[in-house]
Amino acid sequence: MSGGGGREGVASGSSSQDRFRPAARASVRDVHRLRLPIENIRMELVSIEARTALVASTQRSEFRDGTAAYDAASMAMIRLAALLERQEMTETAGAALSPDELAAIRTTRNIAAHAGYRNMNDDLLWLAVTERVPDILERLLSALPPN
């Protein structure tokens, strides 16, 4: 039989049910669990860096609620604050960041996540994500122990 719809791809002796049986695969969650915690933290910091780079590549005049850059800035702050709350990061964050920086990150995250963008000072969010957060990420990455 030719012209599609045939059974040429089914090995002799196997049924079409075997052909479509799902293979066991590691889920994304399992893959992350198999990595060392420090490797996951490093990957998350790099992911946050990418978000800050996206924001920095946008003109300040185009940075406003409803844009991709604004959403990336908010998510960068939310993810950074969540990462710093992890027990594995307590020592590293305490050594690399000041108490004021930690408080500012938490406050910005709380506004972005709970109070909504209407309460966000766009100038301060822009400044934080384009100037302060990249420096913070660099210090955190440098303070992490090697793999």
Side-chain angles (χ1 to χ4, degrees):
M1 221 187 219
S2 64
R7 295 178 37 97
E8 298 93 10
V10 178
S12 72
S14 66
S15 72
S16 63
Q17 286 181 336
D18 293 335
R19 183 172 155 204
F20 296 108
R21 181 170 292 151
R25 296 181 185 188
S27 71
V28 172
R29 270 196 127 96
D30 293 336
V31 170
H32 287 299
R33 270 192 226 124
L34 296 174
R35 285 194 193 106
L36 297 172
I38 201 70
E39 195 176 331
N40 284 336
I41 290 168
R42 188 170 279 108
M43 286 179 57
E44 181 64 15
L45 289 169
V46 169
S47 175
I48 295 166
E49 267 184 329
R51 285 182 172 89
T52 64
L54 183 144
V55 175
S57 72
T58 304
Q59 294 295 318
R60 170 60 188 95
S61 60
E62 296 173 10
F63 181 75
R64 61 186 169 281
D65 187 11
T67 65
Y70 200 92
D71 291 346
S74 298
M75 187 53 67
M77 296 307 300
I78 290 168
R79 300 280 294 264
L80 179 58
L83 182 65
L84 295 177
E85 291 172 349
R86 289 181 57 168
Q87 185 176 3
E88 305 94 331
M89 283 298 291
T90 303
E91 188 175 320
T92 301
L97 307 178
S98 72
D100 286 344
E101 288 173 317
L102 290 167
I105 291 166
R106 277 192 305 272
T107 299
T108 305
R109 182 271 318 266
N110 288 342
I111 293 169
H114 303 296
Y117 300 141
R118 305 268 184 265
N119 295 321
M120 184 72 71
N121 180 319
D122 294 352
D123 292 324
L124 290 179
L125 180 60
W126 172 264
L127 179 67
V129 174
T130 61
E131 294 184 25
R132 295 187 178 141
V133 171
D135 175 61
I136 287 170
L137 294 171
E138 185 178 316
R139 283 186 278 144
L140 288 170
L141 283 164
S142 295
L144 287 176
N147 284 343

